[in-house]
Amino acid sequence: MPDAFIPYGRQDIDEADIAAVVSVLRSNFLTQGPAVPEFESAVADYCGVRHGVAVNSATSALHVSCAALGLGPGDILWTTPNTFVASANCAYYCGATADFVDIDPITLNLDPIALERKLETATRPPKIVVAVAYAGQSPDLRRLRTLADHWGFRLIEDASHAIGGRYRGKPVGGSGLADVTIFSFHPVKLITTGEGGMAVTDDHALAERMRLLRSHGITRDACQFQELDAGPWYYEMQTLGWNYRMTDIQAALGRSQLGRLDAMVARRQTLADRYDAALNDSGLTLPQRSPDCASAWHLYVIGWNPELSGLSRAEAFSALRSAGIGVNVHYIPVHLQPWYRAQGFSVGQFPIAEAHYRNAITLPMFPTLLEAEQDRVIDELLRLSQP
Ligand SMILES: *Cc1c(COP(=O)(O)O)cnc(C)c1O
């Protein structure tokens, strides 16, 4: 075992998860049956929010929430460069464009002070701000809400890293501060449906709009019909939507996983505490813990110290990979991706995100990571990081 490759993230599937999936496979509905609404209610209840809209990925959840909030050609969406590309791509799917706000060097989340400065001088204010809960800790939602109310933009929390975390004592998604919160159920995230995502909101009309958009813009609800109900076969396509539906197979897996979410996050917390204790005097930069948050610990990201170790980040990264440790980097700043450069973005525009990227290393972090495996990661890191 000790020589096996340790990935940076991994799903945790148990027999109950498998049984839940098998029972859907034996049932009448593989999709559009009862499991999706049951999973939506279970997530909404868990978060203390009124509505959950399940879709086939967090990317789709970002798209339908932007579309439902009315983002369109001529509009602009702002987000953090320290994220996965999907947080910004949703703007372009809607015919709008994206711009970025640099991060706070401590929390590594979108910096509300930088946001305020940018709002004060912007010729075109954003219609939507997507703030990411980087690594599992929510951004400063209270200040972001104040700015949203003052400047009239809508606030999406991309909590793809953060289901199971808490913000000021409330479950992520249930703070009442963001207009919509997004979760991802990709296998490396906190709970999984294979592929999948959800948008949660307290806004009934917004949830209805997202439900319409995830399924071709079609409604079968007679109360919503615009034309005369022609008969029991009748349905209406009222707007242009997509097929972003989650299957019942996925939803059953998600609901089963949700039952273990708290235990899995608690395990991540234990592993984070062990990393903190072992690496405290290593000269590496360790993740900062915001007093407003209980992190879901999707990622444990350290800052490499090239001066102390005499090794560049790239050298350390390669040495760790060669030792069978599946380190990763989160994130290459989105504005530096070739497609974004082609939209006019360039190096130096968001220096704090760029500086974070230069030395970031993501360590293995997942609930089934064994302490012996984690000790291997720690030993290797300490060996490399000391002069
Ligand atoms: C993973 C991720 C997404 C996309 O999630 P998918 O479910 O794979 O579409 C979006 N935003 C962030 C911050 C992510 O980490």
Side-chain angles (χ1 to χ4, degrees):
M1 183 280 297
D3 290 314
F5 184 79
I6 305 171
Y8 89 91
R10 191 185 194 300
Q11 71 276 14
D12 175 10
I13 302 292
D14 73 2
E15 289 305 319
D17 295 337
I18 293 167
V21 169
V22 169
S23 86
V24 172
L25 292 174
R26 294 190 198 284
S27 78
N28 292 327
F29 294 98
L30 300 188
T31 193
Q32 295 184 280
V36 168
E38 283 167 12
F39 181 43
E40 290 175 333
S41 302
V43 171
D45 288 350
Y46 176 89
C47 296
V49 67
R50 284 169 64 200
H51 308 283
V53 179
V55 286
N56 58 0
S57 69
T59 303
S60 299
L62 284 160
H63 185 186
V64 294
S65 46
C66 287
L69 289 168
L71 193 72
D75 292 331
I76 187 156
L77 171 152
W78 290 1
T79 188
T80 163
N82 185 33
T83 186
F84 184 59
V85 294
S87 310
N89 290 350
C90 51
Y92 296 88
Y93 297 157
C94 294
T97 56
D99 197 358
F100 300 92
V101 177
D102 212 346
I103 57 172
D104 177 284
I106 305 298
T107 67
L108 307 175
N109 278 323
L110 189 145
D111 180 358
I113 297 167
L115 173 60
E116 190 163 15
R117 272 202 306 271
K118 194 174 171 97
L119 286 163
E120 280 162 357
T121 55
T123 46
R124 234 171 14 128
K127 186 158 195 168
I128 295 176
V129 171
V130 175
V132 174
Y134 177 74
Q137 279 195 145
S138 286
D140 189 346
L141 291 174
R142 280 200 307 177
R143 293 188 68 175
L144 294 174
R145 181 76 258 161
T146 303
L147 291 172
D149 290 341
H150 185 261
W151 293 90
F153 61 81
R154 307 302 293 269
L155 180 62
I156 297 177
E157 182 181 9
D158 181 348
S160 291
H161 299 183
I163 191 170
R166 297 179 86 81
Y167 178 76
R168 297 183 59 81
K170 292 192 176 151
V172 169
S175 70
L177 295 168
D179 294 293
V180 189
T181 302
I182 304 296
F183 299 127
S184 171
F185 307 127
H186 183 278
V188 297
K189 305 287 168 71
L190 289 308
I191 56 172
T192 189
T193 61
E195 296 276 2
M198 198 178 293
V200 300
T201 182
D202 284 319
D203 183 332
H204 177 74
L206 194 58
E208 286 300 302
R209 185 81 187 158
M210 293 192 287
R211 283 186 215 289
L212 200 64
L213 290 170
R214 76 167 165 195
S215 191
H216 309 282
I218 286 174
T219 181
R220 293 173 184 277
D221 177 359
C223 304
Q224 308 288 332
F225 289 163
Q226 294 170 4
E227 302 293 325
L228 218 55
D229 188 348
W233 63 86
Y234 186 67
Y235 60 83
E236 280 186 355
M237 178 186 143
Q238 298 180 333
T239 187
L240 186 65
W242 304 278
N243 181 353
Y244 283 169
R245 291 189 304 265
M246 177 180 279
T247 67
D248 278 46
I249 304 165
Q250 294 168 304
L253 176 56
R255 194 172 174 208
S256 178
Q257 289 254 303
L258 184 67
R260 296 208 311 292
L261 175 58
D262 286 344
M264 291 196 284
V265 168
R267 174 66 185 160
R268 288 172 179 272
Q269 168 82 56
T270 300
L271 293 167
D273 291 346
R274 287 188 92 245
Y275 273 138
D276 276 6
L279 302 175
N280 195 36
D281 301 319
S282 62
L284 302 169
T285 306
L286 303 187
Q288 181 269 356
R289 301 185 184 205
S290 158
D292 282 338
C293 298
S295 180
W297 288 109
H298 165 51
L299 301 175
Y300 191 94
V301 182
I302 59 154
W304 187 250
N305 188 334
E307 291 76 26
L308 178 69
S309 62
L311 292 180
S312 71
R313 190 272 304 268
E315 288 166 334
F317 189 96
S318 298
L320 288 161
R321 279 279 179 96
S322 303
I325 295 165
V327 285
N328 214 312
V329 171
H330 294 89
Y331 281 100
I332 304 163
V334 177
H335 68 286
L336 300 184
Q337 295 289 352
W339 190 82
Y340 278 89
R341 291 189 199 228
Q343 312 308 308
F345 295 101
S346 55
V347 179
Q349 276 188 292
F350 306 100
I352 302 173
E354 293 171 26
H356 164 67
Y357 166 57
R358 272 196 289 280
N359 285 317
I361 299 180
T362 305
L363 304 185
M365 166 61 84
F366 51 93
T368 57
L369 180 67
L370 302 172
E371 296 194 352
E373 293 174 315
Q374 188 184 28
D375 290 342
R376 245 182 77 203
V377 177
I378 290 165
D379 290 347
E380 199 62 33
L381 260 176
L382 289 176
R383 202 177 62 74
L384 293 167
S385 62
Q386 303 310 306

